[in-house]
Amino acid sequence: MPEALNPWSAGQAIDTRRLFDDFGIEPIAPLVDLLPEVPAFMRRGIIVGHRDYRPIAEAIRDRRPFHVLTGFMPSGHPHLGHLLVMREVVWHVRQGGHGMIAIADREAHAVRGLSWEDCDRYGREYLTALYALGYTGEAYFQSRNGALKDLAFEAATRVNFSELAAIYGFGAETTLAHAMSVITQVGDILYPQAAGEPAPTVVPVGLDQDPHIRLSRDVANGLRFFTVEDRGDHVSVRAKNAPAGALEAVAKALPGSKRYEGHVDVRGVLHGDVAELVRRVERDFGGFGFYLPSATYHTFMPGLLGGKMSSSVPESQFGFAEPSAAVRKKVMGALTGGRTTLEEQRRLGGEPERCTLYELNRFHMCDDDAELAELRRRCMAGEVTCGACKRETADRVEAFLADFRERMDEVAHIAAEI
Ligand code: TRP
């Protein structure tokens, strides 16, 4: 398996083209028009792709139920690199989604070797940041959610080691706990539908997490009792793993349907209505009736020094609780797209596409498109020096963090109770 697709080693170098061509991730742009309100991260191409986002966009538009879930590995303090996904979740909840956050302490413990105490402490920092950004949904720690662990075990009945080897490059030396943390993530992704009602579920993630999304979709499908197919003039319901009596119950619930050995055919009923009814029967017989989970995929903001943003390179990001003087210093020391001399800068202008601070503004610090465009124009026209632009950006960051911290103080008690 190519390194670029391994979630534990992925860097900036993810081959977007290949993911689109070979794995069926689709560009998000055509679906954006369905949304009543388009957030900056969708307007600006920060979210580049999706899998099956149409049911989510339609649920938002039609005010129908949907879930939004993502997970955070509590392997360090939350920082700038986590802000985007947090905002995506908060936005989807505001659009009517039922929110669920998984704190992936099993993964942090199994893969990164963190103690449970550290997982707990960091996990609460993530939750505090989320609530401060306006999150109003539910949250859990993997290690303390019994129903999640049961669901992960059920999911495990549908995955074997050769699949894990093919998807993640796991081999004979992989620990069983690592494999368990993978299936726990599959459990996370399906959990909102199992704990609540089946509904489309969107999982906002970075491109590196796509292997988990694909595996979760396979498992969701594998756990279904039935497939429901549109055959043009009729709809056909086929039993796959259905327990005795379940197909009979489907036939009964569909008046005028024809029951065959392994399937039931019905005319004059919409595919969507049959699918809904079949989900209900499936639940009555102890199944899940899952919708296949959807995902959005975002690109990664570069670190402030260029290259990868990472907890292990302190200068590449800042934590939400870092003192402002330290944050200011990091912003002032960031790699920009400026020229080597002032004369060149005035004559040629700067290069925003090579500037980490332009990216910082585009991702997070400048919500107004016109203002961002003006910032870009002034840069390219050579009207502003990098020093001045750094100061302006640092001011924005400082204002953002001051407000953010105040809110974090206000909501810390909520995170303490999870
Ligand atoms: N593996 C993810 C990470 O490394 C964290 C995670 C755990 C997650 N469970 C999830 C992400 C469910 C999305 C959905 O960051």
Side-chain angles (χ1 to χ4, degrees):
M1 181 84 323
E3 271 284 73
L5 279 177
N6 178 332
W8 300 279
S9 68
Q12 299 296 104
I14 291 171
D15 186 344
T16 322
R17 188 60 156 287
R18 253 205 79 210
L19 283 174
F20 278 52
D21 293 352
D22 297 357
F23 293 108
I25 293 179
E26 291 179 55
I28 192 96
L31 290 178
V32 164
D33 291 342
L34 295 173
L35 299 171
E37 171 207 317
V38 185
F41 50 76
M42 292 225 193
R43 296 196 303 269
R44 296 177 183 173
I46 292 170
I47 290 181
V48 277
H50 75 96
R51 220 177 253 289
D52 217 4
Y53 191 72
R54 177 172 286 275
I56 303 295
E58 289 178 349
I60 293 173
R61 184 194 61 191
D62 304 339
R63 301 176 182 281
R64 276 186 286 110
F66 70 98
H67 301 286
V68 52
L69 166 130
T70 198
F72 295 96
M73 184 160 41
S75 56
H77 299 292
H79 61 67
L80 181 58
H82 304 109
L83 192 53
L84 178 69
V85 168
M86 290 183 177
R87 287 184 150 160
E88 284 185 70
V89 175
V90 171
W91 182 82
H92 278 98
V93 172
R94 288 227 174 95
Q95 299 303 306
H98 164 244
M100 187 72 78
I101 295 293
I103 297 298
D105 55 352
R106 284 195 134 186
E107 186 177 0
H109 186 71
V111 182
R112 296 281 159 80
L114 265 87
S115 72
W116 294 110
E117 290 74 24
D118 284 348
C119 288
D120 185 82
R121 197 159 45 85
Y122 292 138
R124 284 175 209 287
E125 290 180 16
Y126 278 86
L127 293 175
T128 303
L130 273 155
Y131 291 123
L133 290 168
Y135 181 65
T136 51
E138 300 178 67
Y140 63 81
F141 284 75
Q142 288 176 333
S143 69
R144 286 176 231 163
N145 185 338
L148 168 80
K149 288 187 264 190
D150 289 346
L151 177 57
F153 190 78
E154 210 61 48
T157 64
R158 295 293 181 274
V159 180
N160 63 34
F161 279 95
S162 65
E163 286 169 292
L164 293 181
I167 300 173
Y168 301 105
F170 282 5
E173 69 300 327
T174 304
T175 65
L176 189 51
H178 195 170
M180 288 172 77
S181 76
V182 164
I183 206 69
T184 307
Q185 177 156 353
V186 172
D188 290 334
I189 290 169
L190 302 178
Y191 182 72
Q193 300 192 69
E197 291 294 316
T201 304
V202 61
V203 187
V205 284
L207 281 162
D208 64 306
Q209 297 291 305
D210 184 54
H212 297 303
I213 302 295
R214 276 184 281 132
L215 180 62
S216 300
R217 288 171 64 85
D218 285 350
V219 169
N221 182 50
L223 288 171
R224 289 297 310 264
F225 291 168
F226 302 103
T227 56
V228 182
E229 288 160 32
D230 200 336
R231 293 288 176 80
D233 63 341
H234 69 281
V235 177
S236 183
V237 182
R238 289 184 175 268
K240 313 189 287 180
N241 313 303
L247 190 63
E248 191 57 46
V250 168
K252 268 217 194 95
L254 289 167
S257 62
K258 261 204 159 137
R259 161 98 207 255
Y260 298 91
E261 174 65 22
H263 65 114
V264 166
D265 288 352
V266 64
R267 279 162 208 280
V269 189
L270 289 174
H271 174 270
D273 293 341
V274 177
E276 233 10 77
L277 186 141
V278 166
R279 277 180 220 286
R280 227 169 307 134
V281 172
E282 204 172 303
R283 297 270 282 195
D284 289 346
F285 279 79
F288 296 103
F290 288 131
Y291 285 79
L292 302 196
S294 311
T296 57
Y297 301 99
H298 64 81
T299 52
F300 294 93
M301 213 196 116
L304 297 175
L305 300 176
K308 195 181 170 188
M309 184 183 290
S310 153
S311 309
S312 54
V313 184
E315 266 65 45
S316 71
Q317 37 75 19
F318 48 81
F320 302 146
E322 269 181 51
S324 3
V327 174
R328 222 184 155 81
K329 202 165 155 208
K330 290 182 183 184
V331 173
M332 295 307 289
L335 176 77
T336 66
R339 308 286 173 175
T340 31
T341 67
L342 203 56
E343 185 277 319
E344 259 185 23
Q345 176 82 8
R346 294 219 172 94
R347 188 161 47 86
L348 303 169
E351 297 178 286
E353 39 300 300
R354 305 178 62 170
C355 178
T356 67
L357 291 189
Y358 179 73
E359 287 300 272
L360 177 56
N361 282 297
R362 188 171 75 91
F363 268 68
H364 292 302
M365 297 300 154
C366 190
D367 201 46
D368 183 341
D369 287 347
E371 208 178 300
L372 185 69
E374 175 61 9
L375 194 147
R376 185 184 173 83
R377 190 199 62 76
R378 278 164 67 221
C379 169
M380 292 174 73
E383 288 174 21
V384 61
T385 61
C386 290
C389 186
K390 281 176 175 175
R391 279 190 295 277
E392 284 173 26
T393 303
D395 290 345
R396 283 198 199 101
V397 171
E398 219 169 295
F400 166 77
L401 283 181
D403 180 55
F404 194 21
R405 279 181 203 136
E406 204 169 294
R407 287 174 205 234
M408 286 199 287
D409 287 342
E410 283 164 22
V411 299
H413 68 279
I414 311 179
E417 283 156 24
I418 299 290

